[in-house]
């Protein structure tokens, strides 16, 4: 179990800020949660979220969603073809995918607050 946890670990980011425990030490995230966090940050850092905000054409927005799926598929921990970008609302995108080792992951990008 310890080897599994240490394989994919990262600092936990909540609402854009480092999450601290009661002792003011950074909290960690592991396995599926770490991979999901990486996917979210990959999208935010790619500029595609900002590109989506600026796009009003439904056809061009769909192109951005496809770009997002293709970018997420570059993560070698994810099963190609398992990525789903689901538009929840005018501000929220849900991303689901399957990892090779840990099953399904799910994360959300609120792209109004993600850019501000």
């Amino acid at each position: 179990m310890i080897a599994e946890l240490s394989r994919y670990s990262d600092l936990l980011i909540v609402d854009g800020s480092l999450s601290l425990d009661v002792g003011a030490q950074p909290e960690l995230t592991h396995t599926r949660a770490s991979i999901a966090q990486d996917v979210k940050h990959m999208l935010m850092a790619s500029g595609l979220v900002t590109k989506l905000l600026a796009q009003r054409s439904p056809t061009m927005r769909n192109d951005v969603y496809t770009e997002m799926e293709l970018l997420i598929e570059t993560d070698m921990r994810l099963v190609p073809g398992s990525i789903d970008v689901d538009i929840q609302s005018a501000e929220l995108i849900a991303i689901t995918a399957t990892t090779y080792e840990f099953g399904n992951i799910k994360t959300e990008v609120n792209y109004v607050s993600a850019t501000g």
Side-chain angles (χ1 to χ4, degrees), residues 44-59:
M44 292 168 49
S46 72
L48 290 173
V49 175
T50 305
K51 189 176 178 181
L52 186 61
L53 270 176
Q55 191 51 255
R56 297 191 186 273
S57 164
T59 303

Side-chain angles (χ1 to χ4, degrees), residues 59-77:
T59 303
M60 298 300 285
R61 288 175 72 83
N62 285 333
D63 288 347
V64 175
Y65 300 139
T66 301
E67 286 182 67
M68 288 179 168
E69 285 182 21
L70 293 172
L71 176 63
I72 295 166
E73 282 201 0
T74 64
D75 190 317
M76 300 301 289
R77 300 169 293 184

Side-chain angles (χ1 to χ4, degrees), residues 12 43 63 103:
L12 178 61
L43 281 178
D63 288 347

Side-chain angles (χ1 to χ4, degrees), residues 1-81:
M1 179 71 171
I2 292 173
E4 180 179 296
L5 290 179
S6 65
R7 179 136 190 216
Y8 301 114
S9 294
D10 202 353
L11 296 172
L12 178 61
I13 306 296
V14 177
D15 296 328
S17 299
L18 187 62
S19 179
L20 302 176
D21 65 15
V22 294
Q25 296 298 309
E27 291 188 279
L28 295 177
T29 181
H30 305 284
T31 60
R32 277 191 295 209
S34 178
I35 295 169
Q37 180 174 277
D38 288 348
V39 166
K40 180 177 182 174
H41 292 159
M42 178 191 327
L43 281 178
M44 292 168 49
S46 72
L48 290 173
V49 175
T50 305
K51 189 176 178 181
L52 186 61
L53 270 176
Q55 191 51 255
R56 297 191 186 273
S57 164
T59 303
M60 298 300 285
R61 288 175 72 83
N62 285 333
D63 288 347
V64 175
Y65 300 139
T66 301
E67 286 182 67
M68 288 179 168
E69 285 182 21
L70 293 172
L71 176 63
I72 295 166
E73 282 201 0
T74 64
D75 190 317
M76 300 301 289
R77 300 169 293 184
L78 302 177
V79 176

